């Protein structure tokens, strides 16, 4: 069961934005990631069956559903402290999953897409933006550019394009661990990555 620490920084000016202590492992239905302020469970097909995120005094709980017969997600945003008088809001959207600051979301998306080298896929995600976990829709294109071996680890390099802005990010994954991505550094890894689950198990 890999565990370790990620640090976050502003990818433009390097300003430190905190860190996340994490652990992840295959489970009875797929894969689970727990970290500082996030608990995400995927099924064997990479769909988010359970998500809970905490940030800025807010809590979002969500998961996969069907919206008008198409793949979708549903979520509830509420104050993390039940004594706070703030309205809870529930929403749903045609999207295949969630994204946000945590590296868990990158692993989840790669698992869901299950690409082979040279393949590309377009997808829609719900981004949970910090500090208040506001939800917005993002459209991305993911390409698995290469798979190489470095220091005994199988490393996948993805090129991820934001289809609204044209901004491109390069992401390096090894199994269920993010080795490097814009704004994310793997500071410590206590145990080696697991082989990531693939579509259908």
């Amino acid at each position: 069961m890999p565990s370790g620490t990620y640090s976050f920084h502003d990818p433009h000016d390097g300003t430190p934005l905190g860190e996340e202590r994490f652990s992840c492992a295959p489970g009875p239905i797929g894969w689970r990631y727990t970290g500082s302020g996030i608990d995400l469970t995927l099924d064997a097909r990479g769909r988010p069956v359970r998500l809970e995120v905490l940030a800025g005094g807010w809590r979002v709980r969500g998961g996969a559903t069907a919206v008008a017969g198409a793949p979708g997600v549903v979520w509830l945003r509420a104050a993390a402290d039940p004594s706070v008088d703030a309205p809870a809001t529930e929403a749903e959207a045609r999207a295949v999953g969630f994204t946000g600051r945590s590296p868990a979301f990158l692993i989840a998306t790669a698992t869901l897409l299950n690409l082979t080298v040279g393949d590309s896929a377009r997808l829609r995600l719900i981004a949970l933006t910090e500090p208040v976990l506001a939800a917005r829709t993002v459209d991305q294109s993911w390409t698995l550019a290469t798979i190489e071996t470095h220091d005994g680890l199988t490393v996948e390099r993805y090129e991820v394009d934001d289809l609204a802005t044209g901004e491109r990010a390069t992401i390096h994954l090894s199994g269920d661990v993010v080795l490097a991505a814009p704004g994310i550094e793997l500071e410590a890894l206590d145990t080696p990555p697991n082989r990531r689950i693939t579509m259908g198990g």
Side-chain angles (χ1 to χ4, degrees):
M1 180 175 74
S3 60
T5 304
Y6 293 110
S7 65
F8 305 115
H9 60 270
D10 188 304
H12 303 291
D13 63 16
T15 301
L17 299 174
E19 64 177 34
E20 180 172 295
R21 181 72 186 172
F22 75 95
S23 62
C24 55
I29 63 169
W31 178 80
R32 185 179 182 192
Y33 179 106
T34 58
S36 311
I38 181 169
D39 189 339
L40 172 65
T41 300
L42 306 180
D43 67 12
R45 296 177 60 188
R47 296 174 300 187
V49 294
R50 181 182 179 275
L51 170 68
E52 182 174 53
V53 184
L54 290 165
W58 293 92
R59 182 195 312 270
V60 169
R61 291 189 172 110
T65 187
V67 178
V73 292
V74 62
W75 67 96
L76 175 70
R77 177 179 178 270
D81 182 349
S83 67
V84 173
D85 185 18
T89 56
E90 186 172 1
E92 64 178 16
R94 287 190 178 184
V96 297
F98 298 92
T99 190
R101 177 182 293 179
S102 175
F105 295 116
L106 299 176
I107 300 161
T109 301
T111 302
L112 178 70
L113 292 177
N114 195 30
L115 300 175
T116 57
V117 174
D119 282 352
S120 296
R122 294 177 56 159
L123 72 162
R124 175 163 292 176
L125 300 166
I126 299 301
L128 302 175
T129 59
E130 296 193 19
V132 295
L133 300 181
R136 65 182 180 89
T137 301
V138 295
D139 292 304
Q140 296 179 343
S141 173
W142 280 58
T143 301
L144 177 53
T146 62
I147 299 178
E148 299 177 344
T149 301
H150 296 282
D151 298 325
L153 294 177
T154 299
V155 180
E156 301 171 340
R157 178 171 64 86
Y158 292 87
E159 303 293 344
V160 180
D161 295 306
D162 185 314
L163 298 179
T165 65
E167 186 175 5
R168 170 167 288 187
T170 300
I171 298 166
H172 293 87
L173 304 182
S174 180
D176 56 359
V177 171
V178 176
L179 300 179
I184 300 171
E185 296 291 338
L186 179 62
E187 297 291 346
L189 183 63
D190 301 333
T191 51
N194 293 304
R195 183 179 65 85
R196 198 170 60 245
I197 62 172
T198 57
M199 188 71 76

